[in-house]
């Protein structure tokens, strides 16, 4: 009769191997999570900075448009001011000449009253 030899080694080896494989997988999974640091804060910071740049560019464009518009208004008002100043100078000249004519006509009237009184 032959006695069969029981082999305990394959059972131990396969369970040890399974545990070893399982441990390796767990270590790999957890170490990857630990070493793969989250970059979400940096992404959020970069997005906020990009938005701030966009906001500043929009504000600058708006201000440039307002400045250009205001410069046009100022140029138009300066032209109007120049017209008023020219008109004022002409009116002052007219006033002076009309005063001179009035003084002359007043003298003539005074002379007429005097000559009437003499009759």
């Amino acid at each position: 009769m032959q006695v069969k030899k029981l082999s305990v080694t394959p059972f131990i080896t396969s369970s040890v191997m399974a545990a070893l494989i399982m441990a390796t997988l767990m270590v790999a999974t957890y170490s990857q999570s630990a070493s793969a640091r989250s970059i979400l804060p940096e992404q959020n910071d970069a997005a906020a900075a990009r938005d701030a740049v966009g906001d500043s560019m929009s504000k600058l464009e708006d201000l440039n448009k307002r400045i250009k518009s205001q410069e046009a208004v100022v140029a138009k008002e300066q032209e109007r001011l120049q017209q008023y100043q020219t008109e004022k100078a002409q009116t002052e000249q007219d006033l002076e000449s009309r005063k001179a004519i009035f003084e002359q006509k007043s003298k003539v009237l005074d002379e007429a009253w005097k000559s009437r009184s003499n009759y």
Side-chain angles (χ1 to χ4, degrees):
M1 156 163 197
Q2 279 187 351
V3 178
K4 277 188 167 181
K5 216 175 177 189
L6 288 175
S7 176
V8 178
T9 324
F11 176 73
I12 294 174
T13 306
S14 64
S15 63
V16 169
M17 283 296 271
L20 185 58
I21 291 172
M22 188 63 136
T24 304
L25 286 174
M26 288 175 63
V27 167
T29 303
Y30 290 117
S31 68
Q32 187 178 24
S33 296
S35 67
R37 184 178 68 84
S38 172
I39 60 168
L40 186 60
E42 287 84 356
Q43 288 174 323
N44 289 338
D45 290 346
R50 181 194 62 232
D51 292 345
V53 167
D55 291 346
S56 292
M57 289 175 67
S58 294
K59 186 175 181 179
L60 183 60
E61 280 182 35
D62 183 52
L63 287 171
N64 282 333
K65 287 178 186 177
R66 288 181 183 190
I67 288 170
K68 196 169 207 164
S69 174
Q70 192 62 37
E71 286 172 344
V73 169
V74 168
K76 190 174 182 180
E77 290 300 316
Q78 283 177 333
E79 184 179 316
R80 185 181 302 180
L81 175 63
Q82 184 65 39
Q83 289 173 349
Y84 289 158
Q85 289 172 336
T86 301
E87 188 178 336
K88 178 186 173 196
Q90 183 62 47
T91 303
E92 286 173 341
Q93 287 178 352
D94 291 347
L95 176 62
E96 291 304 316
S97 75
R98 288 179 180 159
K99 278 182 181 179
I101 292 170
F102 172 69
E103 288 176 13
Q104 183 183 11
K105 300 284 182 177
S106 291
K107 283 182 185 180
V108 170
L109 179 61
D110 286 343
E111 301 266 331
W113 278 107
K114 284 181 188 176
S115 74
R116 185 174 176 201
S117 297
N118 288 337
Y119 287 113

